[in-house]
Amino acid sequence: AAAREAVDSLVKEGLDEYLAVQLVNMCPNEDGYINAILSSKEGLEIKEELLAKVKETLSKVCTQSPSK
């Protein structure tokens, strides 16, 4: 349920379903890693706001401690 909500939240931010599922499955917590995943989507503009939202959303469903 929490993972589904996270995917839905990421889709609302403009990500497609596939990319959102990949992010939730992998639970990256480093900007570089998140950026690498996001950059696989051609035409997606990666902004600081999007990165922040992705990190915030993932922090709610991923058990690892966030990086500083």
Side-chain angles (χ1 to χ4, degrees), residues 9-29:
S9 176
L10 293 172
V11 169
K12 284 180 190 162
E13 292 302 314
L15 302 183
D16 62 29
E17 181 96 4
Y18 176 79
L19 207 54
V21 168
Q22 293 306 311
L23 284 163
V24 172
N25 283 342
M26 291 188 253
C27 282
N29 65 344

Side-chain angles (χ1 to χ4, degrees), residues 1-64:
R4 179 75 249 170
E5 287 174 21
V7 169
D8 290 343
S9 176
L10 293 172
V11 169
K12 284 180 190 162
E13 292 302 314
L15 302 183
D16 62 29
E17 181 96 4
Y18 176 79
L19 207 54
V21 168
Q22 293 306 311
L23 284 163
V24 172
N25 283 342
M26 291 188 253
C27 282
N29 65 344
E30 295 175 14
D31 287 357
Y33 194 21
I34 294 170
N35 236 331
I37 296 166
L38 293 177
S39 66
S40 70
K41 176 66 176 171
E42 194 173 322
L44 177 66
E45 188 176 346
I46 303 169
K47 298 180 178 176
E48 283 298 318
E49 296 84 22
L50 178 60
L51 273 176
K53 186 64 178 175
V54 168
K55 286 175 74 169
E56 177 189 332
T57 302
L58 293 178
S59 72
K60 295 175 185 172
V61 293
C62 300
T63 56
Q64 57 188 308

